[in-house]
Amino acid sequence: MSPSQVIVNPDPNGSGYTSPQHEIEVHPTSVNRGAPIVVHSSNTVYSPEHITAKFENRGADVVKDAQGVLHVTPTSTAYEIRTERKVPKTGLMMVGWGGNNGTTLTATILANRHQIHWSTKRGVEVPNYMGSLVRASTMRIGTDPTTGKDFNVPISDVLPMVHPNDLVLGGWDISGAPLDHAMRRAEVLDYDLQRQVAPLMAHMKPLRSIYYPDFIAANQEERADNLIPGEDKQAHLEQLRKDIREFKVKHSLDRVVVFWTANTERYADIIEGVNDTSANLLKAIKSSHPEVSPSTVFAVAAILEGCPFINGAPQNTFVPGCIQLAEEHKSFIAGDDLKTGQTKVKSVLAEFLTNAGIKMLSIASYNHLGNNDGRNLSAERQFKSKEISKRSVVDDMVESNPLLFKPAVNSVTADGKKVHEDGEHPDHIVVIKYVPAVGDSKRAIDEYHSELMMGGRNTLNIFNECEDSLLASPLILDLTILAELFTRVEYRPANKDAEYKSLYPVLSLLSYMLKAPLVKPGHDVVNSLGRQRNAIEGFFKACLGLENLGDVLLESRIW
């Protein structure tokens, strides 16, 4: 039997598999191949512990003189990048483990781990990790010298990464339902799959979570039966830290990643003396200040325990004091909001239209869905959080083209008064409605109205129907796997006897999976999907001492 095959057989009693009867091929996205790439170069050194690579970070400085002439000076900085080769035993603790995303991801991992296949009206389905950048997409690393054809490899093969099947799962939820019941409540997966994974999920019960009613919709209160008691936020913080430590010890884990996949919260007000610095934020938690959100308490707990924390919802979990705390503890954070269907398409189309020299005049986005996320978003303050993250996705592409969109202007009048004129921007509206009947199957309608040459008009209409949790769950995997990988990457200036440093705590390299990417303070947000993807590929190649291949393809342009 080949390594890509296992023997499985459905069990009518629900255990998932029994004695072997026939072979089912393992889906390529689920196969564990390790990291089989070896680079032969003076820039790359392999030891039992590390892959160490030399990398030139090339750029260009641009200065505009008084006559409007642009003076461009190429720049180059040499680094050494070191990646630890041993993949640690890793746990994933989800906040909102009993929700649609948490139960769907758990069932998916169990189905892949045990190679459970199931029957539908279309036939037999095989478990897989489609929709995952890491597990189901490839990147070009060079050409085959015998054929001249591009050589593409799975992204999961490029560097040593955690396999999803090996993740140890746990987490918290305000609902105490065991995960088999929560999975049925979510109504995402096919019945025959639910039937088989339910016995494996019945013993999984979320830890008690924290619930501050002011931050999520009132319609969530009926689910809140599994709470850490009291209103003392410092006590809540200490309990969450204890939960993380105990989970790590119980499962003999080397690393734990904490992931917020719970309800969208309202935005927290940024208040001087409360959440503007790390010291003030910790004091605000001690005093149980009402403007400290549950997600921020979870983030602080993860940071203080040295665990990467990823915010998969749109609220401003990472208030300035939280970012500063991550800097002080050199603990990784990433967010905000999972970029699944409509917004991912929007980032692609906005880039396409702008790069084609077509001026977007308006973008109108309408959604309706019927899962619990939609129910929570039916409250105005929670919707506002989502609206902000969805509206910002085209900003950098608009700003990149001052030929189409008049840029913002800062000027000073003759009497010394500072004047600011906003830049031009397409009209952009977002509507989300809760329609219970459609469940997890979200409907999204987009209209892109644009200006063409000589006053012409062009309108693109897109109808997108997608299963929300089946798009979101693979992104949770990607963010978890990559966040863990980046904890094992260090750098230092080349040719200097300096200590290696970890990456900056805000993992903006994860922007591809996020609607409203968090970046290092003072730096621009990149929403272009193409640039976000290129950043990941380029960084992986840098870790191997490879040049980031462009598309000049000079060998095909010359004699």
Side-chain angles (χ1 to χ4, degrees):
M1 185 172 59
S2 76
S4 64
Q5 292 178 326
V6 314
I7 305 287
V8 292
N9 183 59
D11 172 15
N13 295 319
S15 65
Y17 53 94
T18 57
S19 58
Q21 289 189 4
H22 61 277
E23 295 185 1
I24 289 285
E25 187 175 350
V26 178
H27 196 275
T29 60
S30 187
V31 173
N32 192 346
R33 291 174 297 271
I37 293 176
V38 178
V39 175
H40 299 276
S41 167
S42 59
N43 290 331
T44 312
V45 177
Y46 291 84
S47 73
E49 294 81 22
H50 297 101
I51 303 169
T52 304
K54 294 178 182 176
F55 169 67
E56 292 279 340
N57 188 39
R58 295 186 173 90
D61 290 338
V62 183
V63 177
K64 187 175 184 178
D65 67 20
Q67 287 73 44
V69 177
L70 301 181
H71 299 270
V72 183
T73 306
T75 62
S76 180
T77 307
Y79 293 97
E80 272 185 10
I81 301 178
R82 184 173 75 176
T83 306
E84 187 179 335
R85 300 181 73 179
K86 182 183 177 183
V87 177
K89 186 177 181 182
T90 302
L92 168 60
M93 297 188 79
M94 288 175 273
V95 189
W97 191 20
N100 286 29
N101 291 343
T103 55
T104 300
L105 181 60
T106 301
T108 298
I109 289 174
L110 290 172
N112 278 277
R113 184 183 295 166
H114 297 286
Q115 273 304 302
I116 297 169
H117 63 293
W118 65 101
S119 297
T120 72
K121 63 183 180 182
R122 294 181 298 272
V124 175
E125 297 281 350
V126 176
N128 61 72
Y129 288 116
M130 284 194 283
S132 163
L133 172 83
V134 169
R135 298 300 313 175
S137 72
T138 63
M139 58 183 273
R140 183 165 65 98
I141 59 166
T143 56
D144 184 332
T146 60
T147 65
K149 300 289 188 183
D150 286 345
F151 207 107
N152 296 283
V153 298
I155 285 182
S156 57
D157 292 2
V158 177
L159 290 167
M161 299 185 209
V162 176
H163 192 287
N165 291 3
D166 298 329
L167 287 171
V168 179
L169 302 177
W172 304 262
D173 202 284
I174 61 173
S175 169
L179 257 66
D180 58 333
H181 291 277
M183 172 181 63
R184 285 194 288 269
R185 180 179 62 196
E187 299 180 354
V188 174
L189 299 170
D190 288 326
Y191 165 75
D192 191 39
L193 176 57
Q194 290 191 42
R195 177 185 66 81
Q196 295 186 71
V197 296
L200 302 174
M201 296 172 69
H203 70 283
M204 297 179 173
K205 191 174 188 300
L207 296 165
R208 292 183 299 176
S209 190
I210 54 178
Y211 174 63
Y212 306 155
D214 184 46
F215 279 91
I216 62 174
N219 58 34
Q220 300 300 301
E221 186 174 5
E222 63 196 52
R223 295 168 69 104
D225 59 8
N226 189 46
L227 308 179
I228 301 171
E231 298 180 358
D232 185 339
K233 295 186 178 182
Q234 181 66 33
H236 294 167
L237 173 63
E238 296 304 327
Q239 180 61 52
L240 298 179
R241 294 185 65 181
K242 182 170 178 283
D243 290 342
I244 295 169
R245 290 194 298 268
E246 289 179 349
F247 182 74
K248 193 172 183 180
V249 170
K250 178 181 177 181
H251 298 286
S252 303
L253 300 173
D254 303 304
R255 181 95 63 224
V256 173
V257 176
V258 180
F259 201 111
W260 180 277
T261 183
N263 279 316
T264 296
E265 299 173 334
R266 67 164 175 85
Y267 257 50
D269 293 333
I270 308 302
I271 303 173
E272 186 177 349
V274 174
N275 47 21
D276 54 338
T277 70
S278 58
N280 287 339
L281 178 59
L282 292 176
K283 281 192 280 186
I285 293 173
K286 274 189 178 179
S287 66
S288 298
H289 193 282
E291 210 53 33
V292 177
S293 69
S295 63
T296 298
V297 175
F298 271 100
V300 169
I303 289 167
L304 295 179
E305 292 301 319
C307 300
F309 180 88
I310 301 164
N311 176 32
Q315 69 273 346
N316 60 339
T317 297
F318 300 118
V319 293
C322 194
I323 296 174
Q324 189 181 83
L325 190 71
E327 291 174 336
E328 292 167 358
H329 288 264
K330 294 181 170 58
S331 191
F332 293 115
I333 57 175
D336 297 311
D337 203 4
L338 297 176
K339 182 161 55 184
T340 51
Q342 185 183 52
T343 308
K344 190 168 284 186
V345 172
K346 185 179 294 185
S347 66
V348 172
L349 274 174
E351 186 174 26
F352 152 66
L353 291 168
T354 304
N355 288 347
I358 296 171
K359 182 178 181 178
M360 292 178 291
L361 298 175
S362 66
I363 305 171
S365 297
Y366 168 84
N367 304 254
H368 69 262
L369 69 165
N371 60 19
N372 193 57
D373 182 42
R375 188 171 185 233
N376 180 61
L377 290 173
S378 64
E380 181 64 22
R381 291 194 299 174
Q382 284 66 39
F383 164 70
K384 283 294 181 187
S385 296
K386 177 67 78 171
E387 182 184 33
I388 290 168
S389 75
K390 290 173 79 74
R391 282 173 61 100
S392 63
V393 72
V394 303
D395 289 352
D396 61 317
M397 285 157 272
V398 168
E399 291 168 6
S400 73
N401 195 331
L403 299 173
L404 296 178
F405 302 97
K406 183 181 177 182
V409 176
N410 293 305
S411 58
V412 180
T413 62
D415 59 359
K417 184 180 178 182
K418 292 181 180 179
V419 177
H420 172 78
E421 294 180 35
D422 288 336
E424 197 176 7
H425 198 280
D427 294 335
H428 192 178
I429 63 165
V430 176
V431 177
I432 301 175
K433 294 296 182 183
Y434 176 53
V435 181
V438 302
D440 202 62
S441 182
K442 182 168 68 174
R443 275 73 162 165
I445 303 170
D446 282 299
E447 179 188 277
Y448 300 82
H449 185 56
S450 304
E451 181 178 355
L452 305 176
M453 186 172 66
M454 307 301 289
R457 293 292 186 267
N458 170 241
T459 301
L460 292 172
N461 286 295
I462 296 177
F463 180 83
N464 176 16
E465 181 179 344
C466 60
E467 294 178 86
D468 207 28
S469 301
L470 295 176
L471 284 173
S473 298
L475 302 188
I476 297 175
L477 280 183
D478 288 338
L479 290 160
T480 299
I481 292 167
L482 294 178
E484 188 289 312
L485 169 63
F486 294 148
T487 67
R488 293 183 278 119
V489 177
E490 298 176 305
Y491 74 96
R492 69 180 180 184
N495 305 317
K496 291 184 180 179
D497 190 19
E499 290 187 5
Y500 281 97
K501 295 181 181 180
S502 61
L503 299 176
Y504 179 73
V506 176
L507 292 176
S508 55
L509 273 167
L510 301 180
S511 297
Y512 182 84
M513 281 73 68
L514 297 161
K515 278 193 184 80
L518 187 71
V519 300
K520 186 176 183 179
H523 289 252
D524 291 336
V525 175
V526 174
N527 282 301
S528 160
L529 202 69
R531 290 183 64 192
Q532 291 171 343
R533 166 78 185 224
N534 288 341
I536 294 173
E537 289 193 17
F539 188 80
F540 282 4
K541 288 172 183 173
C543 291
L544 292 172
L546 296 174
E547 289 290 328
N548 191 18
L549 303 175
D551 288 314
V552 175
L553 301 178
L554 187 62
E555 63 278 6
S556 69
R557 321 294 187 192
I558 59 176
W559 287 100

